[in-house]
Amino acid sequence: MTQNRTKEITQFRLLTTKKFAPFFWTQFSGAFNDNVFRNAIIILIAYKIGTKSTIDSHILVNVAAGLFILPFFLFSALAGQISDRYEKAMLIRRIKIAEIIIMAGAALAFYFNNIIALLFLLFLMGAQSTFFGPVKYSIIPQHLEHDKIVGGNALVGMGTFIAILLGTITGGVIIVERGDLLIGIILCVVAICGWLASCFIPDAPSNTPHIKLDLNPLIQTWKTIGYARKNRSVFFSVLGVSWFWFLGSAYLTQIPNFTKEVLKGDGSVVVLLLSMFSVGIGIGSLLCEKLSGKKVELGLVPLGSIGLSLFGADLFLAYDSPHVQGLMGIAGFIRTDGSIRVLCDLVLIGIFGGLYIVPLNAFIQIKTKPQIRGRVIAANNILNALFMVISALAGALLLGVANTSIPRFFLIIAVANILVAISIYSAVPEFIKRFFAWTGFNPV
């Protein structure tokens, strides 16, 4: 019994180690700030500026999402080269200093309620996150032993989405209550705390300190994707991760207007729904180490695909808009038919999303040579960005131009997930083989 208990808490013990804890809190603070900032802007558009603007709020919300993601597409190739060339702890500290400067500007923009400045700073925050991404995921296998990599990724996944949860609540509640000055203070304080945590991250020396930086974004982007394509299984894992972020971006971006227009809920209900989604991904991420036996288990990925489509499609069926005057708070929403089903769907989408994404991230890290790991992760970020920009465009076109309902949009992406899964698992049968081996089912 004692031995089993020790195994169960192994991944949490990483939070007490010098090699992992400072890094964890550094990335946690960054994810928190991203989501305070981004969610505050989205709710500001959906509930305040969007009602006064001549531009459709659907389009404004998706423009905001696209602006945050666009730098990942533009600058990831350079970020990957820098990650492979320089010592990573030093890079993280400099990236966190840039975050402090950006958040100081955001504080002013929120105070003066300047949406143009906020959108520009959202783009800069995306650029800062772009340079953090390759360092973030390439430092994990450099600091952790092989049997702790899944646990480390699970904690990062859990921490990221708890940060999303807390950032979503913070940004949503404060902007609804018109706390523009308070949001700016929080953003600046958290950015400073993240930099302080980064000062304790142990050195992670470069494996290729002599590579020459290529500043041509088009040529280097193609070369960077080429590094990922050298290993077929890694490349299709990258595509799988990118598709996950297409889905995640679609849900996170559309939930505010879904809440307002379909559920007839106010900003507090937006926070509740986003919280359920984030909690689900945190739970799914933590389950990965237990279900995989502390190894990278690709068999969990098809299981995640099944759940993502099943419960994504159920969102289309779960709720009929009530005939109410005005927007409901949480108590009113909970009393309506179908509300609990919507919440359960979002939690389960999150859980299966966690089971899907953690093994893929860990697999990419361990199957990539250390000398090119930063660039392969940069390739992952480039494709992630491309898929998320496509997600934003799809949302803007289907919802803002074609007037597709949001529940039907959720159904469309759930069906698309089935088609993507079939394509990936047909190209790399290892996923399905591992799924059958993990479940103990022999189809032959």
Side-chain angles (χ1 to χ4, degrees), residues 322-338:
H323 299 289
V324 295
Q325 296 294 326
L327 299 177
M328 298 179 289
I330 292 175
F333 167 67
I334 293 296
R335 288 194 294 267
T336 60
D337 292 338

Side-chain angles (χ1 to χ4, degrees), residues 20 115 264 272 349 398:
F20 188 78
I115 190 62
K264 306 300 183 183
L272 175 65
I349 289 169
L398 288 174

Side-chain angles (χ1 to χ4, degrees), residues 208-237:
T208 51
H210 304 298
I211 65 170
K212 183 178 179 181
L213 298 182
D214 186 340
L215 301 181
N216 186 313
L218 294 178
I219 293 176
Q220 193 55 42
T221 293
W222 184 251
K223 286 182 179 179
T224 301
I225 294 174
Y227 286 114
R229 296 185 65 181
K230 289 182 178 180
N231 185 315
R232 180 179 176 85
S233 296
V234 167
F235 182 63
F236 276 92
S237 296

Side-chain angles (χ1 to χ4, degrees), residues 339-390:
S339 59
I340 302 301
R341 187 172 169 184
V342 168
L343 296 177
C344 289
D345 280 340
L346 287 171
V347 171
L348 288 164
I349 289 169
I351 289 174
F352 283 97
L355 295 177
Y356 178 89
I357 192 67
V358 169
L360 288 176
N361 277 330
F363 182 78
I364 292 168
Q365 290 167 23
I366 67 171
K367 290 296 182 181
T368 301
K369 294 179 180 179
Q371 294 81 1
I372 61 170
R373 187 179 286 135
R375 279 165 286 181
V376 169
I377 293 171
N380 181 34
N381 289 343
I382 292 167
L383 292 173
N384 290 353
L386 177 61
F387 276 64
M388 292 171 79
V389 169
I390 292 172

Side-chain angles (χ1 to χ4, degrees), residues 21-314:
F23 163 74
F24 176 86
W25 293 113
T26 299
Q27 68 86 30
F28 182 93
S29 67
F32 176 86
N33 254 6
D34 282 352
N35 287 279
V36 171
F37 188 27
R38 186 166 37 174
N39 194 51
I41 290 175
I42 288 175
I43 292 181
L44 192 69
I45 291 171
Y47 284 88
K48 295 182 181 180
I49 292 176
T51 60
K52 302 175 183 178
S53 174
T54 57
I55 304 175
D56 190 284
S57 66
H58 288 300
I59 296 176
L60 275 175
V61 164
N62 285 284
V63 165
L67 281 173
F68 182 79
I69 298 307
L70 188 58
F72 287 85
F73 185 63
L74 297 175
F75 307 129
S76 283
L78 178 60
Q81 296 176 75
I82 291 173
S83 174
D84 280 334
R85 178 172 176 174
Y86 296 104
E87 193 276 312
K88 295 177 180 59
M90 174 273 296
L91 286 176
I92 291 175
R93 286 189 282 274
R94 293 188 179 183
I95 290 168
K96 298 306 287 185
I97 289 173
E99 181 182 338
I100 294 172
I101 296 171
I102 294 168
M103 289 301 96
L108 291 173
F110 272 119
Y111 181 76
F112 290 105
N113 206 24
N114 189 323
I115 190 62
I116 300 300
L118 285 170
L119 290 174
F120 173 69
L121 288 161
L122 188 64
F123 175 83
L124 293 183
M125 193 63 177
Q128 182 264 348
S129 298
T130 299
F131 284 92
F132 184 58
V135 184
K136 169 182 174 179
Y137 283 108
S138 61
I139 202 173
I140 293 176
Q142 203 163 344
H143 277 168
L144 298 183
E145 293 84 356
H146 187 81
D147 64 343
K148 293 183 175 64
I149 289 177
V150 172
N153 276 278
L155 286 171
V156 168
M158 177 273 296
T160 297
F161 282 94
I162 286 180
I164 289 173
L165 165 60
L166 297 177
T168 295
I169 292 172
T170 303
V173 169
I174 291 176
I175 203 68
V176 166
E177 299 298 326
R178 298 187 61 81
D180 300 337
L181 177 61
L182 183 57
I183 279 187
I185 294 172
I186 290 172
L187 291 172
C188 291
V189 169
V190 172
I192 292 170
C193 289
W195 172 76
L196 290 173
S198 73
C199 293
F200 296 93
I201 297 175
D203 288 351
S206 167
N207 290 299
T208 51
H210 304 298
I211 65 170
K212 183 178 179 181
L213 298 182
D214 186 340
L215 301 181
N216 186 313
L218 294 178
I219 293 176
Q220 193 55 42
T221 293
W222 184 251
K223 286 182 179 179
T224 301
I225 294 174
Y227 286 114
R229 296 185 65 181
K230 289 182 178 180
N231 185 315
R232 180 179 176 85
S233 296
V234 167
F235 182 63
F236 276 92
S237 296
V238 167
L239 292 178
V241 170
S242 297
W243 175 251
F244 169 83
W245 285 110
F246 177 100
L247 293 175
S249 177
Y251 285 119
L252 291 173
T253 303
Q254 309 313 331
I255 280 176
N257 278 322
F258 173 64
T259 304
K260 178 183 176 183
E261 297 175 7
V262 179
L263 306 183
K264 306 300 183 183
D266 62 14
S268 65
V269 181
V270 175
V271 171
L272 175 65
L273 265 62
L274 290 171
S275 299
M276 293 300 99
F277 182 74
S278 301
V279 166
I281 290 188
I283 293 171
S285 298
L286 291 178
L287 283 173
C288 282
E289 188 184 52
K290 185 176 181 64
L291 294 176
S292 67
K294 298 177 68 174
K295 66 179 186 297
V296 178
E297 180 53 79
L298 292 181
L300 295 177
V301 179
L303 177 65
S305 291
I306 293 169
L308 284 169
S309 285
L310 181 63
F311 296 105
D314 194 62

